[in-house]
Amino acid sequence: FFSSAFKKEDYNIVKLRLLLQGQLSSTVTAVMAPSTCISWLAVNRCMLVTMMIFGLGTAFQPSLIVSDRRGASMTSSTKVNGMFDFITDAFSNTEYDNRRVEASHILVPSEEKASEIKVLLLAGEQTFAEAAQAFSSCPSSQKGGSLGGFEPGKMVKEFDTVCFDESIPVGEVVGPLKTQFGYHLIRVDKRFENQNRSEGTGIG
């Protein structure tokens, strides 16, 4: 660019670049002739070099004060930090539902069977864990029906509705509840809030 700056035939290119740097006004450019442009090029060439030198220097100054589009002052370090805000947001839990429960269930193929098991539980003839091991078709039966902890949306909608309904007391056996997997007897073992998301063990 600098080697061709003094060529008369390239003055339009140089003039355009200088305009982009804010060195020439539109009024001066409109009346500038090729013969006078050469002298302007000699002056602006020095100015452009100076701008480039100081521009590169200040680019690495973390405390450089600039203005944003709203006219507010901010430092270059602030602008750089802002570029990484999305990373911080990605790891925050502010957008997530932090409610969490621990629950157990017994899954059987018919409503009648679920009702029979519930009668046994209410009568105290079997514990929930014993009934789960004896009757439940879910793999969780090996753990006494325990599904562990999970968050809203991890289970089917009907199941979630019961587990996260705070009007249902912890420890109460609810059901029979029909889902696409069959009929459930559900017991919420614990409700709490947690920042860590869990996949849960799933049902069915």
Side-chain angles (χ1 to χ4, degrees):
F1 164 69
F2 293 120
S3 62
S4 62
F6 291 97
K7 293 181 180 180
K8 185 175 181 179
E9 59 271 18
D10 292 331
Y11 86 97
N12 284 323
I13 296 176
V14 178
K15 181 173 62 176
L16 178 59
R17 294 190 181 187
L18 293 173
L19 275 172
L20 294 176
Q21 295 294 330
Q23 295 303 310
L24 294 177
S25 67
S26 58
T27 304
V28 173
T29 304
V31 299
M32 184 179 291
S35 59
T36 59
C37 181
I38 302 303
S39 60
W40 274 93
L41 289 176
V43 175
N44 283 285
R45 177 171 176 265
C46 295
M47 296 177 66
L48 182 58
V49 171
T50 302
M51 288 179 59
M52 290 178 65
I53 294 174
F54 283 98
L56 290 174
T58 56
F60 295 95
Q61 294 180 9
S63 60
L64 177 64
I65 298 178
V66 295
S67 297
D68 60 13
R69 294 181 179 179
R70 297 168 296 179
S73 297
M74 60 192 306
T75 63
S76 57
S77 59
T78 302
K79 293 181 70 178
V80 172
N81 291 336
M83 294 171 60
F84 299 98
D85 286 347
F86 75 97
I87 297 178
T88 302
D89 293 341
F91 288 95
S92 68
N93 288 309
T94 56
E95 296 182 2
Y96 299 126
D97 189 338
N98 291 325
R99 292 178 302 161
R100 188 166 173 171
V101 300
E102 290 181 4
S104 301
H105 81 137
I106 299 171
L107 176 64
V108 292
S110 68
E111 184 176 4
E112 291 75 19
K113 186 63 177 178
S115 297
E116 291 176 6
I117 297 171
K118 187 173 184 180
V119 171
L120 294 175
L121 294 175
L122 295 177
E125 297 183 19
Q126 279 187 317
T127 66
F128 196 94
E130 290 172 344
Q133 291 175 348
F135 303 109
S136 182
S137 61
C138 178
S140 64
S141 63
Q142 301 302 314
K143 297 180 180 180
S146 176
L147 295 169
F150 55 90
E151 297 179 359
K154 295 299 183 181
M155 303 297 179
V156 293
K157 183 178 179 180
E158 299 89 346
F159 203 94
D160 255 14
T161 299
V162 171
C163 290
F164 292 96
D165 184 352
E166 296 186 1
S167 66
I168 297 176
V170 171
E172 181 177 309
V173 178
V174 178
L177 174 73
K178 182 180 180 181
T179 71
Q180 65 194 66
F181 301 104
Y183 291 85
H184 306 260
L185 293 177
I186 303 171
R187 185 188 68 191
V188 176
D189 300 318
K190 185 179 181 180
R191 289 194 183 97
F192 59 101
E193 291 187 357
N194 192 46
Q195 296 297 321
N196 298 318
R197 307 198 80 191
S198 171
E199 294 300 325
T201 58
I203 62 175

